[in-house]
Amino acid sequence: LSSGKKIHGYVIRNEIELTVFTGTALIDLYGKTGCLRNAVNVFDQMVVKEVCTWNAMITTLASNGREMEALDMFEKMKMTGQHPNEVTFVAVLTACARGKFVELGLKLFQSMRREFGIVAIMEHYGCVVDLLGRAGLLKEATDFIRSMPFEPDGSVLGALFGACKIHGAIELGTVVG
């Protein structure tokens, strides 16, 4: 964080325009270290924003307890004409899981292919299992895993296992383990 702030300070002192690369890296740095205000300031100062910039900001909001703001940012992103990608959907599905927005999360998951032509990968499926699991919908999460077009990996099963732990589903947790 200290080194990142020094670099950011250098950019400001030398009146260097925040490029997509530098700005996105700073948003990511500030987001991962919990400096939400700094991340938002960098985002707002950027003149040019690419999908990676939006993804970094959505992820930052989602991982810092601002799930609804992350989803609002996703809507703003679409309104600017940016096309969401695989990373965008990991971020918005994570926001839905953390905010327990089950219906919206499932709707977004379905929209990936239908509206944006994005084929869901293991990480997206893991996000949906996390979404259902956090909401206590363990049967639905289990059924969702069974419906996947490929075998679940450790991250998907780990999401279900974590939900079993949270909700005291010892039998299912044993099976998953």
Side-chain angles (χ1 to χ4, degrees):
L1 177 61
S2 176
S3 296
K5 283 184 172 184
K6 287 177 185 174
I7 292 168
H8 190 190
Y10 177 85
V11 168
I12 292 169
R13 280 191 307 279
N14 291 287
E15 298 180 17
I16 300 170
E17 182 181 331
L18 278 175
T19 63
V20 168
F21 181 77
T22 306
T24 301
L26 285 169
I27 291 166
D28 186 54
L29 165 80
Y30 288 135
K32 286 179 177 170
T33 56
C35 300
L36 187 57
R37 184 176 299 138
N38 291 6
V40 171
N41 288 340
V42 170
F43 183 84
D44 289 344
Q45 291 170 6
M46 292 177 66
V47 176
V48 177
K49 297 174 179 100
E50 299 283 336
V51 67
C52 58
T53 312
W54 289 93
N55 290 346
M57 196 64 233
I58 293 167
T59 300
T60 291
L61 291 165
S63 62
N64 283 282
R66 305 290 179 90
E67 297 86 4
M68 204 61 230
E69 289 176 51
L71 296 168
D72 289 342
M73 184 67 66
F74 175 61
E75 292 303 317
K76 288 178 189 172
M77 172 190 176
K78 292 189 301 183
M79 285 192 292
T80 68
Q82 288 287 338
H83 191 75
N85 63 17
E86 293 84 359
V87 177
T88 312
F89 278 97
V90 169
V92 296
L93 290 171
T94 297
C96 288
R98 291 182 178 188
K100 296 184 181 170
F101 306 129
V102 176
E103 284 185 43
L104 178 58
L106 294 174
K107 181 181 168 192
L108 288 168
F109 180 77
Q110 293 301 320
S111 77
M112 286 173 57
R113 182 186 284 277
R114 190 177 62 246
E115 290 180 39
F116 302 102
I118 297 171
V119 177
I121 59 173
M122 189 72 72
E123 201 168 358
H124 299 118
Y125 283 93
C127 289
V128 173
V129 171
D130 187 40
L131 168 74
L132 295 168
R134 284 178 188 246
L137 302 170
L138 301 179
K139 182 189 178 322
E140 290 84 347
T142 303
D143 292 343
F144 184 79
I145 290 172
R146 287 190 184 116
S147 75
M148 288 171 48
F150 35 72
E151 288 296 311
D153 70 0
S155 68
V156 173
L157 294 173
L160 181 57
F161 186 73
C164 289
K165 188 176 174 184
I166 290 168
H167 296 287
I170 297 166
E171 270 186 47
L172 179 58
T174 302
V175 171
V176 173

